[in-house]
Amino acid sequence: MKQITVSGAIILRTNPATHQKEVFATQRGYGDYKDGWEIPGGKLEEGESPEACIVREIQEELATQVKAEKILGVVDYDYPAFHLTMHCIVCSIVSGKLDLLEHENARWLTKENLRSVDWLPADCLILDKIEELL
């Protein structure tokens, strides 16, 4: 089975209006899993660390510079056509406005509405740990 290794960004903020913690979720705009919700990120390149990957991917996909803070967890999931290993990394925004260059939609989700979107199966496996941060 094909192996794909990715990094996903758990981008957190405190909403200035409500003072609630929120996580940034994106909706895929392409591919077999189009319209599914995910933490943004992408594939590791040869010799790249998960942390370097997420900084590069968020710059490419969202025109935003992030700092990789810590790995929250590593998810392994078997999709029908490939095995996915996803390094889930807590990130903070350094600069930028999270412009959607590849995704069709995005939302800031609170603990109360974290599970209100149709998350991709692999991303579902990290939701409990994300919830603990909110």
Side-chain angles (χ1 to χ4, degrees):
M1 180 177 283
K2 183 177 176 183
Q3 166 71 39
I4 297 177
T5 303
V6 302
S7 287
I10 300 167
I11 302 170
L12 301 173
R13 76 168 186 187
T14 300
N15 183 309
T18 64
H19 305 290
Q20 283 189 294
K21 285 189 178 177
E22 299 173 323
V23 64
F24 191 69
T26 53
Q27 188 176 29
R28 289 181 65 88
Y30 58 90
D32 291 341
Y33 296 96
K34 184 183 182 313
D35 298 330
W37 286 81
E38 63 184 355
I39 57 174
K43 294 179 189 174
L44 268 76
E45 293 181 352
E46 182 80 27
E48 190 175 45
S49 71
E51 293 85 356
C53 171
I54 204 57
V55 170
R56 176 183 54 76
E57 285 285 346
I58 297 306
Q59 184 64 50
E60 290 173 4
E61 292 185 2
L62 298 166
T64 299
Q65 183 181 0
V66 295
K67 178 182 178 188
E69 303 285 348
K70 68 176 182 178
I71 295 180
L72 185 64
V74 178
V75 168
D76 282 292
Y77 187 82
D78 286 325
Y79 282 97
F82 60 93
H83 176 82
L84 180 76
T85 298
M86 179 170 56
H87 300 267
C88 302
I89 303 171
V90 176
C91 296
S92 57
I93 296 174
V94 175
S95 65
K97 299 182 293 189
L98 297 170
D99 296 323
L100 300 181
L101 304 178
E102 294 187 15
H103 298 90
E104 63 184 56
N105 199 358
R107 291 187 194 158
W108 285 102
L109 300 172
T110 63
K111 187 174 193 171
E112 291 72 31
N113 67 6
L114 180 64
R115 297 169 196 273
S116 66
V117 298
D118 186 17
W119 289 98
L120 293 174
D123 293 71
C124 288
L125 300 178
I126 196 70
L127 292 181
D128 287 346
K129 285 188 176 184
I130 292 173
E131 200 169 52
E132 291 172 14
L133 299 175
L134 301 176

